[in-house]
Each structure stands twice: as C-alpha cells, then as structure tokens.
Amino acid sequence: QVQLVESGGGLVQPGGSLRLSCAASGSVFSIGVMGWYRQALGKQRELVARIGRDGSTDYGDSVKGRFTISRDNAKNTVYLQMSSLMSEDTAVYSCSAQHSLTRKDYWGQGTQVTVSS
C-alpha cells in the first residue's frame, strides 16, 4: 500500500504562483509514475502533469508552459510549481502514484486551489 499526503493548496490571486507537494509513504519502492490531476466543480477529472522515476514528464495542454512538475525520489515527494494562475485553474488537485508492476493507482485526499481576486 501507498499513502499520499498533499499540501500547499490555498487561495491565490490571478497571475500568482503556488507550489503543491505530495509525500508518499508505505511501499514507496513500488511507485513508478507520479502525477497531479485536478477536478473543477461540475467537470471531469483531468491530467495536470505526471512524471516518471527517470524524470520524464507529461503535461495537460491547458497548463503547458505555466506549471512544472518535479520529483525527489530520495524524499518520495512530487511537486507541482504553478505559475501565471488563472481562475480556470481553480479545482481540487489530487496526487497520484502508480504501482510500477500492477499499474494500480493510489490517490491522495486532494487539496483545494482557488484562484480569485
């Protein structure tokens, strides 16, 4: 089992920045890809960004050039640096970790990000 705990959400003004963190514990040796997803009110969950153990990354189209995902394998932590935030980025952001062999997905509890003046 893998447990994920997110932190760093909150209220930020349009154009501002915010950094999310997600710390993994438990069977961390089994973790392959880690990522961030978000779900806005009334919308489907969408990929924000994901990163492999080798540092390879993949971003959702709406955040390319504004968000950066990174990972510290020694700390079993993944980060999401968000810049140039817009109201459309308002959502619950959830961290995910995928078992490298079974492809089972583990999820954090989510953290609210609200972009508003």
Side-chain angles (χ1 to χ4, degrees), residues 12-64:
V12 62
Q13 292 187 341
S17 299
L18 208 58
R19 188 195 197 204
L20 304 182
S21 299
C22 172
S25 60
S27 302
V28 295
F29 60 89
S30 69
I31 296 174
V33 175
M34 296 187 75
W36 290 95
Y37 290 76
R38 68 185 183 186
Q39 187 167 20
L41 200 61
K43 295 187 177 181
Q44 290 189 332
R45 184 169 61 194
E46 64 174 352
L47 169 71
V48 177
R50 54 192 173 197
I51 184 168
R53 290 192 70 90
D54 61 357
S56 58
T57 58
D58 184 25
Y59 291 91
D61 288 341
S62 61
V63 306
K64 286 179 180 177

